[in-house]
Amino acid sequence: MPPLLIHPHRRARRGVTIVELVVAITLLLLLMGIGAITATRALATQARSSAADTRAVAISDALHTLARHTIDVDPGAGDLFVVRDTALQLRRAIGITSVCRTAADTLVISTGDATLPWSTTLPRLVTDDDEVRLWHESSRSWMHRRVRLASSASGVCGDSLSPWPDRARQRLVLDSGLPGIRAGSTVRVLQRERWSLVRGGDGKWSLALASWNSARSGFGTPQPLLSPLASPSAPTGPGFAVRAISKTGVTLPPTALADAHSIIAVIRSATHPQIGHASDSVRMNVRTH
């Protein structure tokens, strides 16, 4: 029998050719590159989203803090001073306590004690930068005074016939007398402050808070709370904008703030080249007569 002839083209292939190996490696590298690009883009998107969320949360926190500071503001009592596009000046209650005793223009206040018939909470000592509002029982109204001098005090509150279950804490010399104020009267301690849009040494705009300084008869150095915010001339609007609104919805000028029914505040971040800008607002209803 003649030998079986096998055609050369039908011989079995063994191994992988160089060309096939190069093609496979090229495809693998291409897939890896596409995966890396996709992962990089996903991480960048996540980073932008996280940065935008962080800005939004910071703005929301600042607005909530401002809202808490205006909760006891009484425009009719003069607690609202200046409201312009990028500043809000107010007088807010930081705490409440009671009268131990009075003499002429001097007031002695008590420490906080849960045994008193109302809550007495002061987060700090009263200073000569503060003001007080005392409840006048006979007229059923508040009496406003400025603190000229604050010092420590000792002794028991009240007198020998009606001692209060507390001890004296501070002696406050006020700007005028206290007719009709007696032991046990309620005292609200007030702090004057200013919220405004200020520019720092780095050129960035910030929402800043400043407290009243009686020694200089003006506000102290503003302390930045939130940055960076949009500049006053930004196309999207200033980083901090505020206006007072009447009961009928009319924007009030600084000369008519006693008629304010609410305050609208807007905070805007500076525009970022990748995440744009974030903004939020709050409407704060204030005490009205």
Side-chain angles (χ1 to χ4, degrees), residues 55-135:
R55 285 194 171 197
V57 169
I59 290 174
S60 178
D61 289 345
L63 288 171
H64 278 88
T65 300
L66 177 58
R68 288 196 302 270
H69 281 223
T70 61
I71 195 169
D72 287 324
V73 169
D74 185 354
D79 290 347
L80 225 54
F81 296 93
V82 174
V83 176
R84 58 181 174 84
D85 196 28
T86 58
L88 171 63
Q89 188 172 312
L90 55 89
R91 185 166 51 202
R92 73 176 181 99
I94 64 168
I96 186 171
T97 184
S98 61
V99 175
C100 281
R101 50 188 179 271
T102 64
D105 60 353
T106 301
L107 170 72
V108 177
I109 61 174
S110 70
T111 58
D113 195 308
T115 60
L116 286 173
W118 51 79
S119 173
T120 59
T121 51
L122 283 177
R124 59 170 175 77
L125 292 175
V126 180
T127 71
D128 57 5
D129 298 324
D130 297 324
E131 302 173 31
V132 294
R133 196 164 285 160
L134 305 102
W135 180 249

Side-chain angles (χ1 to χ4, degrees), residues 99-102 155-166 182-184:
V99 175
C100 281
R101 50 188 179 271
T102 64
V156 178
C157 291
D159 51 36
S160 58
L161 296 179
S162 58
W164 288 91
D166 205 351
R182 59 177 183 267

Side-chain angles (χ1 to χ4, degrees), residues 6-199:
I6 301 176
H7 196 278
H9 296 291
R10 294 181 181 178
R11 290 177 181 174
R13 297 178 58 188
R14 297 178 181 178
V16 179
T17 66
I18 296 297
V19 173
E20 291 172 330
L21 183 62
V22 170
V23 171
I25 292 175
T26 302
L27 290 174
L28 179 61
L29 292 176
L30 181 61
L31 291 174
M32 291 176 63
I34 294 174
I37 293 173
T38 302
T40 301
R41 288 179 177 176
L43 290 174
T45 300
Q46 183 179 3
R48 287 195 297 270
S49 177
S50 177
D53 290 344
T54 299
R55 285 194 171 197
V57 169
I59 290 174
S60 178
D61 289 345
L63 288 171
H64 278 88
T65 300
L66 177 58
R68 288 196 302 270
H69 281 223
T70 61
I71 195 169
D72 287 324
V73 169
D74 185 354
D79 290 347
L80 225 54
F81 296 93
V82 174
V83 176
R84 58 181 174 84
D85 196 28
T86 58
L88 171 63
Q89 188 172 312
L90 55 89
R91 185 166 51 202
R92 73 176 181 99
I94 64 168
I96 186 171
T97 184
S98 61
V99 175
C100 281
R101 50 188 179 271
T102 64
D105 60 353
T106 301
L107 170 72
V108 177
I109 61 174
S110 70
T111 58
D113 195 308
T115 60
L116 286 173
W118 51 79
S119 173
T120 59
T121 51
L122 283 177
R124 59 170 175 77
L125 292 175
V126 180
T127 71
D128 57 5
D129 298 324
D130 297 324
E131 302 173 31
V132 294
R133 196 164 285 160
L134 305 102
W135 180 249
H136 193 276
E137 188 65 34
S138 299
S139 63
R140 307 294 296 174
S141 62
W142 291 98
M143 180 184 294
H144 193 89
R145 296 290 185 269
R146 291 188 178 182
V147 179
R148 293 173 46 218
L149 180 66
S151 59
S152 60
S154 60
V156 178
C157 291
D159 51 36
S160 58
L161 296 179
S162 58
W164 288 91
D166 205 351
R167 300 193 66 81
R169 185 178 193 184
Q170 281 189 281
R171 178 177 287 102
L172 310 178
V173 180
L174 308 179
D175 60 352
S176 59
L178 301 167
I181 301 299
R182 59 177 183 267
S185 295
T186 304
V187 183
R188 297 174 67 201
V189 181
L190 310 172
Q191 174 179 290
R192 193 167 174 177
E193 59 189 34
R194 183 186 183 99
W195 297 68
S196 60
L197 184 65
V198 299
R199 191 173 191 177

Side-chain angles (χ1 to χ4, degrees), residues 220-283:
T221 303
Q223 301 300 315
L225 301 178
L226 181 63
S227 179
L229 297 183
S231 71
S233 59
T236 56
F240 180 60
V242 59
R243 58 194 178 104
I245 307 296
S246 70
K247 192 173 184 179
T248 58
V250 177
T251 298
L252 297 171
T255 55
L257 297 180
D259 299 325
H261 184 265
S262 60
I263 302 168
I264 296 178
V266 181
I267 298 179
R268 302 178 180 89
S269 70
T271 300
H272 190 277
Q274 292 181 330
I275 64 176
H277 75 280
S279 66
D280 201 354
S281 63
V282 64
R283 179 172 182 144

